[in-house]
Coordinates of all heavy atoms in Angstrom, one line a residue:
S164 N -13.8 9.0 35.1 CA -13.1 10.3 34.9 C -12.6 10.5 33.5 O -12.1 11.6 33.2 CB -11.9 10.5 35.9 OG -11.0 9.4 35.7
I165 N -12.6 9.5 32.7 CA -12.1 9.5 31.4 C -13.2 9.4 30.4 O -14.0 8.4 30.4 CB -11.1 8.4 31.1 CG1 -9.9 8.4 32.1 CG2 -10.5 8.4 29.7 CD1 -9.0 7.2 32.0
P166 N -13.4 10.5 29.6 CA -14.5 10.4 28.6 C -14.4 9.2 27.6 O -13.3 9.0 27.1 CB -14.4 11.7 27.8 CG -13.6 12.6 28.7 CD -12.7 11.7 29.5
P167 N -15.4 8.4 27.5 CA -15.2 7.1 26.7 C -15.0 7.4 25.2 O -14.6 6.5 24.5 CB -16.6 6.4 26.9 CG -17.5 7.5 27.3 CD -16.7 8.5 28.1
T168 N -15.3 8.6 24.7 CA -15.1 8.9 23.3 C -13.8 9.4 22.9 O -13.4 9.7 21.8 CB -16.2 9.9 22.8 OG1 -16.0 11.1 23.6 CG2 -17.6 9.4 23.0
V169 N -12.9 9.6 24.0 CA -11.6 10.2 23.7 C -10.5 9.1 23.8 O -10.5 8.3 24.8 CB -11.3 11.3 24.7 CG1 -9.9 11.8 24.5 CG2 -12.3 12.4 24.6
A170 N -9.6 9.0 22.8 CA -8.6 8.0 22.9 C -7.6 8.4 23.9 O -7.2 9.6 24.1 CB -7.8 8.0 21.5
T171 N -7.2 7.5 24.8 CA -6.3 7.8 25.9 C -4.9 7.2 25.8 O -4.0 7.6 26.5 CB -6.9 7.3 27.2 OG1 -7.1 5.9 27.1 CG2 -8.2 8.0 27.5
V172 N -4.7 6.3 24.8 CA -3.4 5.7 24.6 C -2.8 6.3 23.4 O -3.3 6.1 22.3 CB -3.5 4.2 24.5 CG1 -2.1 3.6 24.3 CG2 -4.2 3.5 25.7
I173 N -1.7 7.0 23.6 CA -1.0 7.7 22.5 C 0.3 7.0 22.3 O 1.1 6.9 23.2 CB -0.8 9.2 22.8 CG1 -2.2 9.9 23.1 CG2 0.0 9.9 21.7 CD1 -2.0 11.3 23.5
P174 N 0.6 6.5 21.0 CA 1.9 5.9 20.8 C 3.0 6.8 21.1 O 2.9 8.0 20.9 CB 1.8 5.5 19.3 CG 0.3 5.5 19.0 CD -0.3 6.5 19.9
H175 N 4.1 6.2 21.5 CA 5.3 7.0 21.9 C 5.9 7.7 20.7 O 6.1 7.1 19.6 CB 6.3 6.0 22.5 CG 7.6 6.7 22.9 ND1 7.7 7.6 23.9 CD2 8.8 6.6 22.3 CE1 9.0 8.1 24.0 NE2 9.7 7.5 23.0
T176 N 6.3 9.0 20.9 CA 7.1 9.7 19.9 C 8.4 10.2 20.6 O 8.5 10.1 21.8 CB 6.4 10.9 19.4 OG1 6.0 11.8 20.5 CG2 5.1 10.5 18.7
T177 N 9.3 10.7 19.8 CA 10.6 11.1 20.4 C 10.5 12.3 21.2 O 11.3 12.6 22.1 CB 11.6 11.4 19.3 OG1 11.1 12.5 18.5 CG2 11.8 10.2 18.4
G178 N 9.5 13.2 21.0 CA 9.3 14.4 21.7 C 10.2 15.5 21.2 O 10.2 16.6 21.8
R179 N 10.9 15.3 20.1 CA 11.8 16.3 19.6 C 11.1 17.4 18.9 O 10.0 17.2 18.3 CB 12.8 15.7 18.6 CG 13.8 14.7 19.2 CD 14.9 14.4 18.2 NE 14.4 13.9 16.9 CZ 15.2 13.8 15.8 NH1 16.4 14.2 15.8 NH2 14.6 13.3 14.7
K180 N 11.6 18.6 19.0 CA 11.0 19.7 18.3 C 11.3 19.6 16.8 O 12.3 19.1 16.4 CB 11.5 21.0 18.9 CG 11.1 21.4 20.3 CD 11.7 22.7 20.7 CE 11.2 23.9 19.9 NZ 11.7 25.2 20.3
R181 N 10.3 20.1 16.0 CA 10.6 20.2 14.6 C 11.8 21.1 14.3 O 11.9 22.2 14.8 CB 9.4 20.7 13.9 CG 8.2 19.8 13.8 CD 7.1 20.5 13.0 NE 5.8 19.8 13.0 CZ 4.7 20.2 12.4 NH1 4.6 21.4 11.9 NH2 3.6 19.4 12.5
P182 N 12.6 20.6 13.4 CA 13.7 21.6 12.9 C 13.1 22.7 12.2 O 11.9 22.7 11.7 CB 14.5 20.7 12.0 CG 14.2 19.3 12.3 CD 12.7 19.3 12.8
A183 N 13.9 23.8 12.0 CA 13.4 24.9 11.1 C 13.2 24.4 9.7 O 13.9 23.5 9.3 CB 14.4 26.0 11.1
A184 N 12.3 25.0 9.0 CA 12.0 24.6 7.6 C 13.2 24.6 6.8 O 13.4 23.8 5.9 CB 10.9 25.5 7.1
S185 N 14.1 25.6 7.0 CA 15.3 25.7 6.2 C 16.3 24.5 6.4 O 17.2 24.4 5.6 CB 16.0 27.0 6.6 OG 16.3 27.0 8.0
H186 N 16.0 23.7 7.4 CA 16.9 22.6 7.7 C 16.8 21.5 6.6 O 17.7 20.9 6.3 CB 16.5 21.9 9.1 CG 17.2 20.7 9.4 ND1 18.4 20.6 9.9 CD2 16.8 19.3 9.2 CE1 18.8 19.3 10.1 NE2 17.8 18.5 9.7
F187 N 15.6 21.4 6.0 CA 15.3 20.3 5.1 C 15.8 20.6 3.7 O 15.6 21.7 3.2 CB 13.8 19.9 5.1 CG 13.4 19.5 6.5 CD1 12.5 20.3 7.2 CD2 13.7 18.2 7.0 CE1 12.1 19.9 8.5 CE2 13.3 17.8 8.3 CZ 12.5 18.6 9.0
Q188 N 16.4 19.5 3.0 CA 16.8 19.6 1.7 C 16.1 18.6 0.8 O 16.2 18.6 -0.4 CB 18.3 19.5 1.5 CG 19.0 20.7 2.2 CD 20.5 20.5 2.1 OE1 21.1 19.6 1.4 NE2 21.2 21.5 2.7
L189 N 15.4 17.6 1.4 CA 14.8 16.5 0.7 C 13.7 15.9 1.6 O 13.8 15.9 2.8 CB 15.8 15.4 0.3 CG 15.3 14.1 -0.3 CD1 14.8 14.4 -1.7 CD2 16.4 13.0 -0.3
A190 N 12.6 15.4 0.9 CA 11.6 14.6 1.6 C 11.5 13.3 1.0 O 11.5 13.2 -0.3 CB 10.3 15.4 1.6
I191 N 11.3 12.2 1.8 CA 11.1 10.9 1.3 C 9.9 10.3 1.9 O 9.6 10.5 3.1 CB 12.3 10.0 1.7 CG1 13.6 10.4 0.9 CG2 12.0 8.5 1.3 CD1 14.9 9.7 1.4
I192 N 9.1 9.7 1.1 CA 7.8 9.0 1.5 C 8.0 7.5 1.2 O 8.2 7.1 0.0 CB 6.6 9.5 0.9 CG1 6.4 11.0 1.2 CG2 5.4 8.7 1.3 CD1 5.2 11.7 0.6
G193 N 7.9 6.6 2.2 CA 7.9 5.2 2.0 C 6.5 4.6 2.2 O 5.9 4.9 3.2
I194 N 6.0 3.8 1.3 CA 4.6 3.4 1.4 C 4.4 2.1 0.6 O 5.2 1.8 -0.4 CB 3.7 4.5 0.8 CG1 2.2 4.2 1.1 CG2 3.9 4.8 -0.6 CD1 1.3 5.4 0.9
S195 N 3.5 1.3 1.0 CA 3.3 0.0 0.3 C 1.8 -0.3 0.2 O 1.0 0.4 -0.4 CB 4.0 -1.1 1.0 OG 3.9 -2.4 0.3

Side-chain angles (χ1 to χ4, degrees):
S164 60
I165 302 174
T168 57
V169 177
T171 58
V172 179
I173 301 175
H175 175 71
T176 60
T177 63
R179 293 194 303 168
K180 290 180 63 176
R181 287 181 184 174
S185 58
H186 172 82
F187 299 108
Q188 297 180 3
L189 175 69
I191 293 174
I192 298 175
I194 190 166
S195 185

